[in-house]
């Protein structure tokens, strides 16, 4: 198991800046949902580089992203193609 980025949607949706999504080096990894008004991370693509944490904390000053062990994510983690949910 390993670290991945997790967005606090409550904080993020109150800021709605989407800044982090332009700096993640992985394609389709951290995106912005217009429906939820929040960024979200596709955890199977996250490489734990923490660039998004730096952008959100130090540049945007929003403190909405934390690194977490993948098996401690608030919303669990669905392993694609298997349907297995780890909570
Ligand atoms: S930089 Fe932070 S507040 Fe802005 S969209 Fe990303 S997670 Fe949300
Ligand atoms: S930790 Fe790196 S790879 Fe993961 S979402 Fe943030 S910027 Fe993208």
């Amino acid at each position: 198991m390993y670290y991945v980025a997790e967005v606090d949607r409550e904080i993020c949706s109150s800021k709605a800046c989407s800044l982090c999504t332009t700096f993640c080096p992985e394609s389709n990894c951290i995106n912005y949902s217009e429906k939820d008004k929040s960024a979200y991370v596709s955890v199977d693509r996250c490489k734990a580089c923490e660039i998004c944490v730096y952008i959100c904390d130090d540049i945007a000053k929003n403190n909405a992203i934390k690194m977490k062990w993948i098996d401690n994510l608030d919303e669990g983690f669905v392993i694609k193609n298997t349907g297995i949910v780890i909570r």
Side-chain angles (χ1 to χ4, degrees):
M1 290 298 163
Y2 52 93
Y3 273 121
V4 292
E6 183 179 66
V7 176
D8 182 318
R9 294 188 190 204
E10 199 173 317
I11 298 173
C12 182
S13 63
S14 70
K15 308 295 182 184
C17 72
S18 80
L19 199 60
C20 57
T21 63
T22 63
F23 288 92
C24 176
E26 292 294 318
S27 61
N28 288 323
C29 179
I30 188 163
N31 291 302
Y32 190 82
S33 166
E34 286 298 337
K35 177 175 162 277
D36 296 333
K37 302 292 180 206
S38 171
Y40 65 96
V41 176
S42 297
V43 294
D44 54 337
R45 299 193 61 81
C46 179
K47 302 298 186 292
C49 69
E50 301 191 32
I51 288 174
C52 58
V53 177
Y54 168 72
I55 295 295
C56 190
D57 286 1
D58 294 353
I59 305 298
K61 310 286 187 195
N62 290 336
N63 304 305
I65 308 179
K66 297 283 178 282
M67 301 306 293
K68 277 194 177 178
W69 284 110
I70 196 168
D71 45 358
N72 289 338
L73 295 174
D74 290 342
E75 297 178 5
F77 169 47
V78 178
I79 300 175
K80 283 181 182 165
N81 303 324
T82 67
I84 296 170
V85 180
I86 298 171
R87 292 187 194 279

